[in-house]
Amino acid sequence: MNNNLLITMSGGTTTVINATLAGILSQVKKSPRFGKIYAGFPGILGALNEDLVDLTNLDDKALALLKTTPGSGFLGTTRITPLSDREIQRLFEVIDAYKIGYFINIGGNGTIKQTKSIADKMGPVDLKIAAAPKTVDNDLGDAEFQKVYFTPGFPSCVRYWVHKLHLLNQESLGACSHDRVLVAQTFGRETGFLSGAPRVGDTERRFPLLLLLPEDQQNLDAVISAIEKTLSQQKRVIVILSEGYQVGDLGQVYDPSGQIMYGSSGTTAAQLLVNHLMKNGIQTRAYIPTVDQRLEIMFTSEMDMNFSYQLGEFIIRSFDEGKTHFLASVSRYHSEQPQMDALPLASINNFSRVMPKRWIWRGAFDVSNDYVDYLRPFLKGPSTHIPIDECIPRFIEPVEPVKRKILDKWETSLCTN
């Protein structure tokens, strides 16, 4: 009887990816349907090479620790070319040898395509398949946000950037006599979900903040003009841009799946923008956290972690109900009870989404209040490792008369020089 379970992970990670894994493992223990639990290490590549880890006997203490462990160090993850027919056949050979009747693939857009490819070529193989979403980019799902309201990992990354915005603002307040512009770069290949997220930390628009969203791509002259205008008004600027915002040639390097590896290319969008501004006589500094934004557990929200855990439980319950060939998703957000759905893989053709027009203030380098309303619930509740009710830090304001006097002095000095 093929009743064993195989789990693999692919692509970039999040702080809550292991929460989904822990939810899967915990729920399996409650069901008499399943036998052994195997995981590929790393990911699908480990499965193809028959490098499998037996997770069957993880105890409750280990599962509790796994739930709050960020990143993919526990099982590993992979980025590989689309599976060939021979590789898929090899996977089925491993599945048969280890009597696997259930397969869960955890990942983003590429993983969904991989899962569909495996499901489409099963033939006589008796295998129940599910995909579990995870991406901090929030770019996996339907354009209407009805089938996938958010992807696990995104809410925590929103909190990360809200916290960083307030730190960047403190840096800008203190150092704007020399570093007049700070440029921070978020994840987001072709989307501005993350580069627009810091706005929810400054809803009254008090900060000199410009958001560069790929969905509202402006030419370089327009970007520099907006920065200069903000400088003239507020004496300092904080720019948040997606890694995929186009400001010049990155010297692109591609991974085996054909995606640009922004962290491995010749340069970054943030550095290019710094270079352009420096050539225009504007002293600028870059801040590029790269993988820290998807690994920093300190700002992971309990909501995000708990929903991710429940998503893992939901997959196993769906298997128990006889469901197969589906993507598990959080389709509705409620403060206490999320609504989860099993979306048929056959109904998913292109599940890559971008920010809708209603969430963008075109040409204003900003997001709309509708997007702020979408993000606002993600800030509610405590972080996993910080006993506070919100992720926005509290700082004393600069002494206003002194600040005004100093800023006026800088402005005079800049004009005369």
Side-chain angles (χ1 to χ4, degrees):
M1 179 179 181
N2 291 353
N3 65 343
N4 295 334
L5 169 66
L6 174 64
I7 306 168
T8 57
M9 293 181 176
S10 298
T13 188
T14 73
T15 60
V16 298
I17 188 171
N18 288 321
T20 296
L21 177 60
I24 291 169
L25 299 178
S26 177
Q27 191 66 29
V28 165
K29 290 177 177 293
K30 301 175 184 177
S31 172
R33 180 181 299 272
F34 299 90
K36 286 186 173 295
I37 308 168
Y38 296 107
F41 188 93
I44 197 77
L45 189 60
L48 292 172
N49 292 333
E50 214 166 330
D51 292 327
L52 302 180
V53 180
D54 190 336
L55 303 179
T56 309
N57 296 320
L58 281 185
D59 59 24
D60 291 344
K61 183 177 180 181
L63 288 176
L65 184 60
L66 176 63
K67 180 182 177 181
T68 58
T69 299
S72 55
F74 180 68
L75 281 187
T77 183
T78 57
R79 293 183 188 273
I80 63 174
T81 57
L83 294 175
S84 66
D85 289 346
R86 179 68 192 95
E87 287 171 324
I88 291 178
Q89 181 57 40
R90 171 58 183 157
L91 179 63
F92 290 151
E93 291 172 1
V94 174
I95 284 170
D96 181 62
Y98 285 82
K99 300 186 181 305
I100 291 166
Y102 304 87
F103 173 51
I104 302 173
N105 208 4
I106 304 174
N109 287 296
T111 304
I112 303 304
K113 293 177 183 177
Q114 185 184 84
T115 309
K116 282 176 58 68
S117 177
I118 294 169
D120 291 343
K121 297 177 181 178
M122 279 177 51
V125 177
D126 184 16
L127 181 69
K128 288 183 169 56
I129 298 178
K134 64 100 200 104
T135 172
V136 297
D137 291 348
N138 204 37
D139 62 351
L140 187 160
D142 58 309
E144 295 77 24
F145 293 78
Q146 297 297 311
K147 297 177 180 178
V148 180
Y149 192 67
F150 67 87
T151 54
F154 173 68
S156 295
C157 208
V158 169
R159 293 164 72 100
Y160 174 95
W161 276 108
V162 167
H163 186 268
K164 295 308 176 192
L165 171 65
H166 282 258
L167 293 181
L168 289 168
N169 187 57
Q170 287 296 307
E171 174 70 13
S172 176
L173 283 168
C176 59
S177 62
H178 45 282
D179 290 333
R180 303 178 66 201
V181 180
L182 297 180
V183 177
Q185 179 176 300
T186 72
F187 282 139
R189 295 178 176 277
E190 298 175 354
T191 62
F193 291 108
L194 282 180
S195 56
R199 174 54 71 199
V200 74
D202 178 34
T203 57
E204 296 179 1
R205 293 177 167 80
R206 296 187 303 114
F207 298 170
L209 181 62
L210 298 179
L211 307 175
L212 276 56
L213 318 171
E215 295 91 340
D216 187 29
Q217 179 69 49
Q218 303 291 319
N219 62 47
L220 184 59
D221 288 342
V223 172
I224 293 176
S225 177
I227 291 172
E228 290 177 334
K229 180 179 179 181
T230 306
L231 276 175
S232 68
Q233 296 171 341
Q234 302 194 50
K235 318 307 182 210
R236 61 191 183 94
V237 182
I238 302 169
V239 177
I240 312 287
L241 83 167
S242 296
E243 60 188 358
Y245 197 87
Q246 299 173 24
V247 289
D249 182 11
L250 299 177
Q252 289 93 332
V253 175
Y254 297 85
D255 68 17
S257 68
Q259 292 183 321
I260 297 176
M261 295 189 294
Y262 288 101
S264 304
S265 294
T267 188
T268 64
Q271 187 59 56
L272 286 174
L273 184 55
V274 169
N275 296 346
H276 290 309
L277 291 170
M278 293 292 287
K279 289 178 181 178
N280 279 269
I282 302 173
Q283 179 70 34
T284 307
R285 183 182 292 269
Y287 171 68
I288 310 174
T290 66
V291 298
D292 184 61
Q293 60 194 293
R294 67 186 184 202
L295 286 174
E296 177 53 85
I297 192 68
M298 295 295 288
F299 308 108
T300 295
S301 72
E302 286 190 358
M303 175 275 290
D304 194 10
M305 183 164 288
N306 289 336
F307 281 14
S308 299
Y309 184 86
Q310 292 168 34
L311 199 66
E313 294 178 312
F314 171 79
I315 291 172
I316 299 303
R317 289 199 303 271
S318 297
F319 279 156
D320 275 333
E321 294 168 2
K323 295 177 182 177
T324 184
H325 292 50
F326 64 89
L327 168 70
S329 75
V330 179
S331 60
R332 295 289 186 279
Y333 173 83
H334 300 288
S335 59
E336 298 297 335
Q337 292 295 328
Q339 178 177 326
M340 297 186 178
D341 287 333
L343 308 177
L345 288 175
S347 69
I348 300 173
N349 293 316
N350 181 3
F351 227 41
S352 297
R353 64 185 177 192
V354 297
M355 292 185 72
K357 294 180 179 179
R358 68 181 185 278
W359 285 354
I360 301 170
W361 278 354
R362 295 280 174 184
F365 300 100
D366 204 351
V367 295
S368 70
N369 290 332
D370 283 346
Y371 188 53
V372 171
D373 290 340
Y374 169 73
L375 296 176
R376 206 185 300 270
F378 299 149
L379 295 190
K380 294 181 179 178
S383 295
T384 305
H385 286 63
I386 300 179
I388 56 175
D389 292 332
E390 55 188 65
C391 62
I392 299 175
R394 295 172 176 82
F395 301 121
I396 190 170
E397 291 288 334
V399 180
E400 187 59 35
V402 175
K403 182 176 71 171
R404 184 68 262 162
K405 181 178 179 181
I406 292 174
L407 288 175
D408 287 343
K409 183 178 180 181
W410 289 342
E411 184 178 22
T412 304
S413 175
L414 290 169
C415 289
T416 56
N417 292 336

